[in-house]
Amino acid sequence: METDLIIVREYCQKSHVDPLFIVSLEEDGLIDIQVVDGERYLLGSQLQDLERFVRWHEDLSVNTEGIGVIHELMGRMHEMQQELKQLRREVRLLRTNYLEEIL
């Protein structure tokens, strides 16, 4: 399985992101950095989260602790939305079965 790796140094240069911000995200467990031959790499699969974190930090002045909290809460909200969808499907199924029984 091939994994896309992004060189952190190059990402920071092209995106005008402070490398220390990336380090703080890693220290807070929000992203994982791999070191290969002394070069730091970010998994391509984390790029979407990283860009979201950068926007929150730059546009909203949210620090890394706040980013962690927001990320956790959004994850919980997504789980609750999925649970709600499943419950709605189950209610529809029960309602359909009930209506079939009484008719």
Side-chain angles (χ1 to χ4, degrees):
M1 181 174 110
E2 193 172 313
T3 305
D4 292 333
L5 294 175
I6 299 166
I7 300 172
V8 171
R9 176 180 40 80
E10 289 181 9
Y11 173 83
C12 289
Q13 288 173 347
K14 290 179 181 178
S15 301
H16 307 287
V17 173
D18 185 352
L20 294 176
F21 176 67
I22 304 293
V23 170
S24 65
L25 290 173
E26 180 187 22
E27 288 173 351
D28 286 349
L30 293 168
I31 59 171
D32 293 317
I33 300 294
Q34 295 182 1
V35 179
V36 179
D37 296 330
E39 188 75 64
R40 299 168 61 82
Y41 292 91
L42 171 74
L43 294 174
S45 60
Q46 298 181 95
L47 188 58
Q48 185 177 6
D49 282 340
L50 176 59
E51 290 180 348
R52 184 179 310 120
F53 299 157
V54 169
R55 281 194 312 272
W56 291 344
H57 180 67
E58 292 180 355
D59 297 345
L60 303 174
S61 300
V62 179
N63 62 19
T64 54
E65 293 84 7
I67 290 170
V69 170
I70 293 169
H71 184 65
E72 172 71 20
L73 290 173
M74 288 185 74
R76 288 183 188 178
M77 187 173 71
H78 178 73
E79 289 172 6
M80 290 178 3
Q81 287 171 335
Q82 296 305 312
E83 184 178 350
L84 181 59
K85 285 180 185 178
Q86 179 61 32
L87 290 171
R88 285 180 174 160
R89 281 191 291 267
E90 291 174 15
V91 166
R92 273 194 300 271
L93 180 62
L94 288 171
R95 184 175 43 208
T96 301
N97 289 342
Y98 175 75
L99 290 175
E100 287 175 359
E101 286 179 18
I102 63 170
L103 294 178

